[in-house]
């Protein structure tokens, strides 16, 4: 399965082209200029790269949240439009599962490295989007559908307690935003080589391979695609309190 994976979970974004779980091409964008302005150029580059090599896309995978309210809409809208134009299925992927996948020291079962990953994204207003994953869940195609959309909103205090509990344990890795951890923890969050879009593609490939139905149950109609915000925006909370 040739897939184009997209994510704009935070202020930046990334794209990747994968054949199954093999990464063929990837890039990060939104660093020098706004993500919304940069994604079209990078998308054009990725599609031309595929065309030059005679590759036809079979699906589009996209991180659907949780994450930035504005950021998520950029990738989801792009995925919807492209999937409709090319008549391709869309595979929605949980953002935290994608981040966990690329932060596993080694994705092969039974190899050395952390067996679990704690992921956190800044949800602001003293809250964190958090989730815990095991290596087995992320790497076994028949198990990944149990965890790919796992995420919850927790208080900053609860998140700090989770981090403290796992910080000195060799069987745990911590991943996510540097803004929600102490300087001591931030030093352990080394940049990983694969971009988050690669994680989106890895999870999507596992969902397809682990499906027992045809077409795979993870395939979504582009028009049904929606962001998993998990919480109200500040404006919605203000309106609800009136």
């Amino acid at each position: 399965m040739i897939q184009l994976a997209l994510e704009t979970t935070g202020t930046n974004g990334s794209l990747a082209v994968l054949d199954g779980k093999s990464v063929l091409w990837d890039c990060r964008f939104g660093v020098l200029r706004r993500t919304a302005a940069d994604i079209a150029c990078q998308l054009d580059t990725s599609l031309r790269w595929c065309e030059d090599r005679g590759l036809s896309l079979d699906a589009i995978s996209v991180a659907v949240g949780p994450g930035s309210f504005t950021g998520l809409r950029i990738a989801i809208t792009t995925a919807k439009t492209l999937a409709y134009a090319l008549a391709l299925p869309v595979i929605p992927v949980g953002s935290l599962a994608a981040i966990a996948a690329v932060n596993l020291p080694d994705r092969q079962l039974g190899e050395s490295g952390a067996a679990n990953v704690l992921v956190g994204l800044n949800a602001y207003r003293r809250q964190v989007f958090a989730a815990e994953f095991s290596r087995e869940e992320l790497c076994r195609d028949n198990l990944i559908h149990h965890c790919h959309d796992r995420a919850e909103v927790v208080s900053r205090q609860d998140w700090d307690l989770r981090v403290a509990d796992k910080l000195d344990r060799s069987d745990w890795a911590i991943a996510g935003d540097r803004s929600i951890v102490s300087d001591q923890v931030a030093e352990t969050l080394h940049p990983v080589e694969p971009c988050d879009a690669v994680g989106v593609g890895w999870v999507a490939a596992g969902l397809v391979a682990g499906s027992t139905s045809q077409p795979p149950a993870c395939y979504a109609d582009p028009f049904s695609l929606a962001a998993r915000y998990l919480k109200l925006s500040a404006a919605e909370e203000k309106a609800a309190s009136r």
Side-chain angles (χ1 to χ4, degrees):
M1 178 184 74
I2 305 295
Q3 61 166 312
L4 176 67
L6 304 87
E7 71 79 25
T8 53
T9 305
T11 55
N12 305 323
S14 56
L15 289 169
V17 177
L18 301 93
D19 182 357
K21 295 184 180 181
S22 299
V23 183
L24 304 179
W25 177 94
D26 67 287
C27 77
R28 292 179 171 88
F29 57 87
V31 178
L32 299 179
R33 58 178 177 171
R34 295 177 61 186
T35 298
D38 211 8
I39 189 170
C41 296
Q42 300 301 333
L43 187 61
D44 180 65
T45 299
S46 66
L47 295 177
R48 289 180 184 274
W49 187 92
C50 290
E51 183 179 4
D52 290 343
R53 287 154 182 79
L55 299 176
S56 298
L57 295 178
D58 299 306
I60 296 171
S61 56
V62 59
V64 294
S68 161
F69 282 85
T70 302
L72 289 176
R73 288 194 289 267
I74 295 172
I76 291 174
T77 301
T78 302
K80 278 185 173 184
T81 304
L82 189 61
Y84 175 73
L86 300 179
L88 294 174
V90 179
I91 306 171
V93 170
S95 305
L96 300 191
I99 294 170
V102 297
N103 278 274
L104 280 173
D106 190 305
R107 301 187 71 253
Q108 297 300 314
L109 289 171
E111 297 294 330
S112 61
N116 308 281
V117 184
L118 169 66
V119 183
L121 292 179
N122 197 340
Y124 299 100
R125 301 194 294 283
R126 299 290 298 172
Q127 293 179 316
V128 176
F129 297 122
E132 298 178 4
F133 304 89
S134 71
R135 177 193 299 274
E136 186 174 29
E137 289 174 322
L138 292 171
C139 297
R140 287 195 185 277
D141 296 337
N142 64 325
L143 294 181
I144 199 167
H145 64 282
H146 291 301
C147 74
H148 87 97
D149 59 353
R150 179 184 301 161
E152 60 180 330
V153 181
V154 302
S155 69
R156 182 63 183 271
Q157 181 180 22
D158 182 57
W159 166 254
D160 290 341
L161 290 173
R162 293 191 190 190
V163 172
D165 177 60
K166 296 168 174 57
L167 181 58
D168 295 322
R169 294 171 56 179
S170 61
D171 58 334
W172 280 90
I174 300 172
D177 287 348
R178 289 175 175 266
S179 63
I180 57 172
V181 295
S182 65
D183 292 341
Q184 177 189 7
V185 178
E187 292 177 358
T188 70
L189 302 182
H190 301 296
V192 293
E193 183 178 342
C195 61
D196 288 345
V198 169
V200 173
W202 281 342
V203 173
L207 290 171
V208 171
S211 179
T212 58
S213 62
Q214 289 298 328
C218 59
Y219 281 5
D221 182 282
F223 292 107
S224 70
L225 204 61
R228 299 174 186 153
Y229 293 124
L230 295 191
K231 59 178 290 185
L232 298 176
S233 67
E236 289 171 326
E237 286 183 350
K238 184 176 180 180
S241 65
R242 292 173 181 169

